[in-house]
C-alpha cells in the first residue's frame, strides 16, 4: 500500500516548529512506555494518525482489528491509558439512534508528531487497520436514513481517502459510498466527483469494467455530474452506455438497470429533453409497478420524476395527479418529515396555482 500521509502538513510542521524534534522524541518515549503497559493503547494512537483528529468515534477504536480491540473492556482500558497520558480527550457528538456517540480528540501537535515516529512498514500496517476499522462501521448507504451517522463519521472518512493512494478495493468501496452520501446531500463541490472517479478507476482496473460494483460506481458518477450540471453531455453518454451494458448483462427489468434508467432520465430533465425523459420514466414506472407495486419507495420516486416531466410539458392535470400519489405514498412509506416527502408537498402547493 502506497501511503500519502499529508506530506506537506508533516514537512511544514517539522520545518516551522523549533520544538518538533523534542516533541517527536518525547511522544516516542511515551508510546514505548504505553506499549509496555497496554499494547492496544499504543496501537490505537498510531492508527488515529490517519483519520481526522477531531471527533474520533468510539466505534473506530473498538473495531481496529487488533486482538482484544473488539472487547469493550480492553478498549476502554486502552482509551483510559491514553487519556491518563494526556494524549486523548473525550468529546461529544450527535446522537445516533437512542445513544450519544462517544468521540475523542487528539491535540494538533501530537497529531502531527505521530506521522514521524514509525517506519514505512509500521505505518502501512496501521493505515491498513484504519481502513478496515472504517469499513466495518461506516454507513453502507448514502440515503437519508444514514445521514445522522454520516455527520459523525464523515470527517474521519474524508481525511482517510485524502491520505491514501487508489490501489485497493477497500479504498474504492469507501470512496464510492462517500460519494453516494455527498450526492444525496447535494454537495456541489468537486470532491464527490473526484471520489467517484477514483472508485470507478480502481474497480474497473481490478474487477473489470462490467463488474457489478464498477457499474454502481459509474452510476454514482453519472448522478454527480448531473447534479453539478458541469458536464451533462458526458453524464448522458455515460448513462446510455451504462444502461446498455446493464440491460445486456442483467436484463431491462433488473434493479440495477432500472435505477440507472431513472437516473439518466434525470439527466434529460437537466437538459430539458422532456420527450426522452418521459419515454424512460413511463417505461420504468410500468416495470416498477409490475415488480414492486404501486406503493414501493422506488415506484414513488419514478412517479415523482414523471410528474415533473409532465409539468415541464404543460400537462398540469396529469402532473398534479401523479405528484399527489407520490406525496401520499412517500408520507406513508418515508414519513412526512422526510426530505423527499416535503419536496412533493412543496411542488403540489406551487403547481395548484399555475
Amino acid at each position: 500500500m502506497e501511503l500519502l500521509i499529508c506530506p506537506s502538513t508533516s514537512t511544514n510542521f517539522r520545518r516551522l516548529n523549533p520544538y518538533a524534534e523534542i516533541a517527536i522524541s518525547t511522544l516516542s518515549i511515551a508510546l514505548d512506555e504505553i506499549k509496555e503497559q497496554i499494547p492496544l493503547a499504543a496501537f490505537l494512537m498510531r492508527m488515529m494518525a490517519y483519520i481526522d483528529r477531531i471527533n474520533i468515534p468510539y466505534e473506530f477504536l473498538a473495531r481496529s482489528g487488533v486482538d482484544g480491540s473488539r472487547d469493550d473492556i480492553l478498549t476502554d482500558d486502552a482509551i483510559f491509558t491514553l487519556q491518563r497520558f494526556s494524549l486523548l480527550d473525550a468529546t461529544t457528538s450527535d446522537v445516533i439512534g437512542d445513544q450519544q456517540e462517544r468521540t475523542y480528540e487528539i491535540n494538533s501537535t501530537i497529531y502531527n508528531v505521530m506521522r514521524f515516529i514509525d517506519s514505512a512498514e509500521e505505518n502501512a500496517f496501521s493505515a491498513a487497520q484504519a481502513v478496515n476499522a472504517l469499513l466495518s462501521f461506516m454507513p453502507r448507504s448514502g440515503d437519508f436514513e444514514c445521514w445522522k451517522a454520516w455527520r459523525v463519521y464523515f470527517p474521519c472518512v474524508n481525511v482517510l481517502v485524502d491520505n491514501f493512494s487508489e490501489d485497493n478495493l477497500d479504498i474504492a468501496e469507501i470512496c464510492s459510498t462517500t460519494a453516494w452520501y455527498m450526492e444525496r446531500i447535494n454537495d456541489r463541490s468537486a470532491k464527490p466527483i473526484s471520489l467517484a472517479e477514483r472508485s470507478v478507476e480502481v474497480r474497473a482496473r481490478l474487477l473489470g469494467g462490467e463488474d457489478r460494483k464498477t457499474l454502481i460506481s459509474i452510476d454514482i458518477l453519472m448522478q454527480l455530474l448531473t447534479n453539478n450540471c458541469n458536464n451533462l453531455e458526458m453524464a448522458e453518454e455515460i448513462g446510455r452506455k451504462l444502461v446498455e451494458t446493464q440491460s445486456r448483462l442483467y436484463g431491462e427489468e433488473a434493479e440495477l438497470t432500472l435505477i440507472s434508467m431513472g437516473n439518466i432520465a434525470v439527466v434529460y430533465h437537466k437538459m430539458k429533453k422532456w420527450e426522452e425523459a418521459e419515454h424512460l420514466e413511463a417505461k420504468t414506472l410500468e416495470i416498477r409497478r409490475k415488480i414492486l407495486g404501486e406503493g414501493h419507495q422506488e415506484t414513488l420516486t419514478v412517479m415523482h420524476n414523471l410528474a415533473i416531466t409532465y409539468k415541464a410539458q404543460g400537462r398540469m392535470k396529469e402532473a398534479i395527479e401523479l405528484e399527489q400519489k407520490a406525496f401520499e405514498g412517500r408520507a406513508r412509506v418515508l414519513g412526512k418529515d422526510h426530505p423527499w416527502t416535503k419536496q412533493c408537498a412543496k411542488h403540489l402547493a406551487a403547481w395548484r396555482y399555475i
Side-chain angles (χ1 to χ4, degrees):
M1 177 185 294
E2 179 187 353
L3 297 182
L4 304 177
I5 310 300
C6 297
S8 61
T9 302
S10 300
T11 302
N12 287 339
F13 170 79
R14 200 163 195 164
R15 178 169 54 84
L16 298 176
N17 192 328
Y19 302 104
E21 298 302 333
I22 296 175
I24 292 169
S25 299
T26 302
L27 182 60
S28 182
I29 293 170
L31 286 177
D32 286 342
E33 184 177 342
I34 290 170
K35 188 175 182 179
E36 289 293 322
Q37 298 179 20
I38 301 183
L40 176 60
F43 176 75
L44 293 182
M45 194 68 198
R46 287 177 161 90
M47 193 174 68
M48 284 184 279
Y50 306 107
I51 61 171
D52 189 52
R53 71 174 187 85
I54 300 173
N55 291 330
I56 299 167
Y58 176 84
E59 281 297 304
F60 174 79
L61 304 176
R63 295 174 183 264
S64 68
V66 179
D67 289 343
S69 63
R70 293 181 184 272
D71 185 317
D72 283 349
I73 294 177
L74 291 178
T75 302
D76 289 344
D77 284 347
I79 291 172
F80 176 75
T81 299
L82 295 176
Q83 289 177 309
R84 184 163 55 84
F85 277 79
S86 299
L87 298 178
L88 198 65
D89 293 319
T91 58
T92 57
S93 189
D94 286 351
V95 175
I96 299 180
D98 298 326
Q99 296 183 341
Q100 183 87 33
E101 179 72 12
R102 293 167 58 185
T103 55
Y104 301 89
E105 177 178 339
I106 304 175
N107 174 274
S108 60
T109 300
I110 294 173
Y111 181 73
N112 285 319
V113 166
M114 288 299 304
R115 302 163 193 265
F116 297 99
I117 291 177
D118 293 332
S119 66
E121 293 76 13
E122 290 170 323
N123 281 336
F125 177 75
S126 299
Q129 293 304 121
V131 171
N132 291 336
L134 281 175
L135 275 175
S136 68
F137 72 83
M138 66 177 282
R140 293 300 187 181
S141 165
D143 286 336
F144 174 74
E145 293 74 17
C146 298
W147 287 5
K148 186 172 286 188
W150 268 112
R151 284 197 294 271
V152 174
Y153 303 140
F154 178 72
C156 290
V157 175
N158 195 36
V159 171
L160 184 74
V161 296
D162 283 344
N163 283 345
F164 291 85
S165 62
E166 50 192 51
D167 60 355
N168 65 72
L169 293 174
D170 287 341
I171 292 298
E173 175 71 20
I174 292 173
C175 287
S176 180
T177 310
T178 306
W180 179 4
Y181 163 66
M182 297 177 81
E183 185 275 328
R184 283 291 187 261
I185 63 172
N186 290 317
D187 188 313
R188 302 301 176 90
S189 69
K191 180 67 177 285
I193 293 177
S194 69
L195 291 177
E197 289 175 336
R198 185 174 176 182
S199 179
V200 170
E201 190 279 326
V202 175
R203 284 176 165 174
R205 175 162 48 84
L206 299 179
L207 299 175
E210 294 188 349
D211 184 86
R212 183 181 180 86
K213 288 189 174 182
T214 305
L215 297 176
I216 289 172
S217 292
I218 293 172
D219 185 83
I220 293 171
L221 176 60
M222 175 181 63
Q223 293 180 65
L224 288 163
L225 291 171
T226 304
N227 287 353
N228 284 29
C229 294
N230 59 350
N231 201 331
L232 292 175
E233 289 75 17
M234 179 182 290
E236 180 186 15
E237 181 181 356
I238 289 172
R240 281 204 311 267
K241 291 180 179 179
L242 184 61
V243 170
E244 288 172 4
T245 301
Q246 291 168 336
S247 297
R248 173 169 51 83
L249 293 175
Y250 307 114
E252 278 195 341
E253 296 188 354
E255 177 67 16
L256 209 59
T257 308
L258 293 172
I259 290 173
S260 295
M261 286 172 64
N263 289 334
I264 193 174
V266 176
V267 178
Y268 290 139
H269 279 207
K270 300 281 188 177
M271 302 178 79
K272 303 190 185 304
K273 294 184 176 182
W274 301 113
E275 291 184 4
E276 291 91 336
E278 180 188 354
H279 172 73
L280 270 180
E281 288 162 348
K283 183 177 181 179
T284 306
L285 182 57
E286 180 183 355
I287 297 172
R288 289 291 194 193
R289 280 172 165 160
K290 181 178 72 173
I291 296 176
L292 300 176
E294 185 84 4
H296 192 276
Q297 177 178 331
E298 296 295 340
T299 308
L300 298 170
T301 296
V302 183
M303 277 187 195
H304 166 71
N305 290 341
L306 183 54
I308 294 174
T309 300
Y310 286 156
K311 187 263 182 185
Q313 294 173 318
R315 299 157 63 178
M316 294 309 302
K317 182 178 179 181
E318 294 169 278
I320 291 172
E321 287 177 356
L322 202 56
E323 188 74 333
Q324 182 66 39
K325 288 183 179 179
F327 168 73
E328 292 172 359
R330 283 179 164 178
R332 183 175 61 255
V333 175
L334 302 174
K336 291 185 177 181
D337 292 330
H338 194 285
W340 292 352
T341 308
K342 291 180 177 179
Q343 190 177 45
C344 290
K346 182 180 178 180
H347 284 175
L348 288 170
W351 293 357
R352 289 193 173 105
Y353 290 97
I354 297 177

